[in-house]
């Protein structure tokens, strides 16, 4: 073992079946739930940079934003807690809603939970589009947040449970592709409506209803997952769906494994208590830290406030909105790169490469801003330096979009056993939303206080999280989610927490195969890379 990397022998199973159109269509429709989240991420920054919107709801911010660069500290001209509350209130609501979504997933299934989330989001979009005061704006954003909490808690789990193990990463990343597509669409909408003399912001906010309609009507026709049917005691329906999505009648082995996992889950009466048990320590710690680090990359500095940030560094209204469109396009393309490579190169390689790329870009952007504004905040970007800053911001977005963006949703959704899966995904979403809220609420204040040093602040966290991935996050590609305990048992650090009789280790007892990874017996020459830095 070197640097936390190692390769072990494993008895991971290969189930019969193949990728079917049924799975692909179901996963694509479900993943469109990410459009709602992405649209909201992208729309708020453009709206808060529109003059008519600021005049109506935040006149004091408008007056500061229109002051000349020699009279106003450029770092501070958008600093307003009420303005940032408009953006960040959605994520606080999503945090709370994720716990309700966890209970709904268990009681009613994935399909119903997605449907309810889409309807609530739709109501919030209409309220925002017709808002007359700040209170209506905040109420609308809270309803949008509830819808996002339901969708983000449910969709990644749905995708992981429907997908065959060998392409689970790619299908799960469809969710992130939808998120980035939503961001790009929002940026394009903002750029288009900015040319309207009146009510352009209403169109921006109200068009959030479109992805909500896609999600809502799509959920009506989606099948629920076999895991969800088993969890609710509908075994015949579960097997029928499993045969349909695997394209074969011979699903007995996989179905039996799901039943065994379900039996373990049924014995767990209190998943929120059980998730704190020692045997789930690896999953819990990783699911707490990955969404925490995902937000501390500083990505939402760009995604929420791209037009505001670009105006802060001296661009005009149209130029700042167009720069946001460019970063949105880079975001989508890079996420598709992740979709095409995650099941080939693995999760760890993308995490580590993306972290290094983001670190370099953040340092360069900080130095470029410092060269133009210093610590006083007075000045303007020259065109060459401004273009260089946009280029490195785009490289930064690319690094995030093929690593921490999609993998921050994929990895937590695939590592939990069934008995605590809904609770685990709820934790993932709630931690993500909590720190999304915190970053959204304090960013403009931090920019005012730290100046260009804010980018160094986020770069420091990128170093910490890349080291964490290197040593503590094993490779999970191609491993069936009900067999994931083998991954932890093979890891140099986490193996101390996994009992030898854990589900996923004891399936081979009939053949007298030892259930722990210290056995000398090998599995027909099949190797699985766990934590190796090689690809």
């Amino acid at each position: 073992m070197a640097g936390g990397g190692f390769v072990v022998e494993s008895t991971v199973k290969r189930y019969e079946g193949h990728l079917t159109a049924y799975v692909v269509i179901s996963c694509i429709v479900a993943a469109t739930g990410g459009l709602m989240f992405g649209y909201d991420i992208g729309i708020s920054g453009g709206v808060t940079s529109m003059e008519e919107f600021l005049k109506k709801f935040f006149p004091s911010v408008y007056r500061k934003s229109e002051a000349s660069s020699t009279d106003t500290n450029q770092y501070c001209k958008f600093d307003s807690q009420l303005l940032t509350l408009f953006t960040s209130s959605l994520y606080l609501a999503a945090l709370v809603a994720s716990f309700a979504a966890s209970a709904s997933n268990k009681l009613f299934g994935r399909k119903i939970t997605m449907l309810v989330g889409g309807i609530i989001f739709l109501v919030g979009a209409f309220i925002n589009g017709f808002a007359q005061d700040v209170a209506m704006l905040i109420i609308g954003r809270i309803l949008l947040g509830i819808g996002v909490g339901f969708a983000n808690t449910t969709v990644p789990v749905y995708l992981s449970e429907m997908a065959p193990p060998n392409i689970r990463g790619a299908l799960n990343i469809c969710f992130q592709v939808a998120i980035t597509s939503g961001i790009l669409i929002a940026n394009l909408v903002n750029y288009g409506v900015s040319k309207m003399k009146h009510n352009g912001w209403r169109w921006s906010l109200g068009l959030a209803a479109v992805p909500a309609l896609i999600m809502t009507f799509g959920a009506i026709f989606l099948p629920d997952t076999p895991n969800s049917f088993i969890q609710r005691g509908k075994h015949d329906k579960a097997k029928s769906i499993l045969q349909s999505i695997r394209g074969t009648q011979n699903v007995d082995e996989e179905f039996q494994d799901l039943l065994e996992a379900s039996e373990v889950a049924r014995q767990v009466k209190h998943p929120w208590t059980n998730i704190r048990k020692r045997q789930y320590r690896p999953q819990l710690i990783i699911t707490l830290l990955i969404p925490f680090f995902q937000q501390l990359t500083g990505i939402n500095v760009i995604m929420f406030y791209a037009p505001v940030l670009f105006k802060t560094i001296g661009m005009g209204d149209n130029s700042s909105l167009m720069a946001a469109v460019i970063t949105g396009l880079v975001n989508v393309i890079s996420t598709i790169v992740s979709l095409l490579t995650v099941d080939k190169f693995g999760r760890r390689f993308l995490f580590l490469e993306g972290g290094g790329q983001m670190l370099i870009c953040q340092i360069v952007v900080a130095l470029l801003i410092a060269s133009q504004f210093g610590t006083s905040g007075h000045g303007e970007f020259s065109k060459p330096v401004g273009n260089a800053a946009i280029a490195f911001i785009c490289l930064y977005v690319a690094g995030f979009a093929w690593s921490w963006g999609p993998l921050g949703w994929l990895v937590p959704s695939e590592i939990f056993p069934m008995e605590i899966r809904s609770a685990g995904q709820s934790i993932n979403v709630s931690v993500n939303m909590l720190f999304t809220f915190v970053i959204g609420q304090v960013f403009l204040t931090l920019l005012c206080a730290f100046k260009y040093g804010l980018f160094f602040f986020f770069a420091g966290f990128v170093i910490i999280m890349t080291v964490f991935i290197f040593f503590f996050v094993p490779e999970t590609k191609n491993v069936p989610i009900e067999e994931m305990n083998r991954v932890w048992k093979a890891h140099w650090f986490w193996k101390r927490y996994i009992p030898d009789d854990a589900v996923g280790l004891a399936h081979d007892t009939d053949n007298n195969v030892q259930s722990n990874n210290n056995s000398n017996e090998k599995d027909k020459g099949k190797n699985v890379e766990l934590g190796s830095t090689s690809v």
Side-chain angles (χ1 to χ4, degrees):
M1 181 180 71
F6 50 90
V7 178
V8 299
E9 302 296 331
S10 176
T11 56
V12 170
K13 296 183 178 181
R14 308 290 180 182
Y15 299 122
E16 187 171 330
H18 58 273
L19 179 63
T20 62
Y22 193 17
V23 167
V24 173
I25 294 171
S26 297
C27 288
I28 290 175
V29 171
T32 57
L35 282 174
M36 301 191 313
F37 187 33
Y39 190 87
D40 271 317
I41 290 174
I43 210 68
S44 57
V47 167
T48 54
S49 70
M50 294 180 185
E51 289 187 5
E52 185 184 10
F53 179 81
L54 290 176
K55 284 180 182 178
K56 182 175 180 63
F57 296 106
F58 306 98
S60 62
V61 177
Y62 172 73
R63 289 191 293 271
K64 280 201 302 182
S65 70
E66 291 302 300
S68 69
S69 60
T70 57
D71 295 332
T72 302
N73 186 328
Q74 296 293 90
Y75 294 119
C76 302
K77 63 183 182 180
F78 286 95
D79 182 19
S80 165
Q81 288 300 300
L82 188 60
L83 178 63
T84 52
L85 183 62
F86 163 71
T87 295
S88 59
S89 57
L90 182 151
Y91 305 99
L92 191 60
L95 186 161
V96 177
S98 66
F99 294 100
S102 174
S104 176
N105 272 318
K106 186 173 183 180
L107 293 174
F108 306 113
R110 313 334 181 202
K111 172 178 176 171
I112 294 298
T113 305
M114 288 189 284
L115 180 63
V116 170
I119 292 171
I120 296 173
F121 189 97
L122 187 62
V123 175
F126 279 116
I127 291 176
N128 268 178
F130 292 100
Q132 298 299 317
D133 52 36
V134 174
M136 283 188 71
L137 283 178
I138 301 301
I139 291 171
R141 292 288 287 180
I142 289 173
L143 291 174
L144 293 175
I146 294 172
V148 165
F150 271 67
N152 286 13
T153 301
T154 308
V155 172
V157 170
Y158 182 93
L159 297 175
S160 289
E161 290 180 346
M162 290 288 282
N166 62 316
I167 59 164
R168 185 176 61 244
L171 287 181
N172 197 290
I173 287 175
C174 287
F175 180 64
Q176 184 68 17
V177 171
I179 292 175
T180 56
S181 298
I183 294 171
L184 176 60
I185 291 168
N187 290 334
L188 289 168
V189 168
N190 281 334
Y191 183 74
V193 304
S194 67
K195 303 181 185 302
M196 297 173 61
K197 292 184 178 180
H198 302 291
N199 293 325
W201 62 271
R202 291 192 185 277
W203 284 98
S204 287
L205 296 178
L207 284 173
V210 175
L213 286 170
I214 296 173
M215 166 81 168
T216 303
F217 283 106
I220 293 173
F221 300 102
L222 286 178
D224 218 329
T225 69
N227 311 63
S228 180
F229 281 122
I230 290 173
Q231 192 174 38
R232 290 175 287 142
K234 300 179 180 181
H235 292 183
D236 291 342
K237 185 66 174 175
K239 188 168 185 179
S240 174
I241 290 293
L242 187 61
Q243 290 170 336
S244 297
I245 65 178
R246 296 294 181 254
T248 178
Q249 295 297 303
N250 187 15
V251 296
D252 291 345
E253 185 177 22
E254 183 175 5
F255 185 66
Q256 186 60 38
D257 286 348
L258 293 178
L259 288 176
E260 290 179 15
S262 177
E263 183 57 34
V264 173
R266 201 184 330 275
Q267 295 171 11
V268 176
K269 303 299 183 184
H270 305 287
W272 291 101
T273 300
N274 279 270
I275 203 171
R276 300 198 300 270
K277 287 184 176 180
R278 179 180 175 84
Q279 70 190 72
Y280 303 126
R281 197 68 48 80
Q283 297 98 318
L284 181 59
I285 291 176
I286 287 175
T287 301
L288 286 169
L289 290 181
I290 282 184
F292 167 76
F293 285 136
Q294 187 191 55
Q295 297 311 308
L296 268 296
T297 60
I299 186 63
N300 284 329
V301 170
I302 309 299
M303 294 298 102
F304 289 171
Y305 298 115
V308 171
L309 179 63
F310 292 134
K311 284 187 73 173
T312 295
I313 62 178
M315 294 185 174
D317 291 346
N318 286 338
S319 296
S320 64
L321 289 170
M322 178 51 69
V325 170
I326 293 171
T327 58
L329 184 60
V330 169
N331 197 14
V332 172
I333 294 172
S334 301
T335 304
I336 294 173
V337 170
S338 182
L339 184 151
L340 297 174
T341 59
V342 67
D343 289 313
K344 179 180 180 181
F345 294 149
R347 286 64 161 151
R348 277 173 54 87
F349 174 80
L350 295 179
F351 266 134
L352 296 172
E353 191 284 332
Q357 184 170 324
M358 287 189 291
L359 176 63
I360 293 170
C361 292
Q362 284 170 313
I363 292 172
V364 172
V365 169
L367 293 175
L368 290 173
I369 294 175
S371 71
Q372 302 297 300
F373 294 105
T375 57
S376 68
H378 298 294
E380 292 183 357
F381 259 117
S382 64
K383 188 171 182 179
V385 177
N387 290 338
I390 292 175
F392 277 97
I393 287 173
C394 286
L395 285 173
Y396 163 80
V397 169
F400 177 86
W402 59 54
S403 62
W404 279 86
L407 300 182
W409 295 106
L410 167 60
V411 172
S413 75
E414 67 183 359
I415 62 176
F416 279 100
M418 185 187 292
E419 63 266 24
I420 55 170
R421 188 169 298 148
S422 290
Q425 184 62 11
S426 181
I427 289 173
N428 179 37
V429 173
S430 61
V431 173
N432 189 296
M433 293 299 118
L434 173 61
F435 286 97
T436 301
F437 167 76
V438 170
I439 295 299
Q441 189 64 32
V442 305
F443 163 64
L444 294 176
T445 299
L446 289 177
L447 181 63
C448 182
F450 287 6
K451 282 69 175 184
Y452 63 84
L454 182 59
F455 289 90
F456 290 128
F457 170 80
F458 287 124
F461 277 98
V462 171
I463 293 173
I464 295 170
M465 71 194 201
T466 302
V467 171
F468 169 73
I469 292 294
F470 186 77
F471 286 105
F472 296 107
V473 177
E475 185 56 70
T476 56
K477 70 173 182 177
N478 297 333
V479 181
I481 56 178
E482 305 306 338
E483 295 280 308
M484 201 63 71
N485 269 325
R486 297 184 182 281
V487 172
W488 310 115
K489 196 63 178 176
H491 191 271
W492 70 274
F493 181 79
W494 299 124
K495 64 183 180 182
R496 69 192 70 182
Y497 295 99
I498 308 301
D500 289 342
D501 60 348
V503 172
L505 292 173
H507 288 306
D508 298 314
T509 53
D510 292 340
N511 297 320
N512 296 318
V513 178
Q514 295 297 321
S515 63
N516 61 44
N517 282 289
N518 294 322
S519 172
N520 293 324
E521 212 164 327
K522 298 184 179 180
D523 173 48
K524 299 179 182 180
K526 290 181 181 177
N527 294 340
V528 175
E529 289 188 7
L530 301 175
S532 175
T533 55
S534 65
V535 294

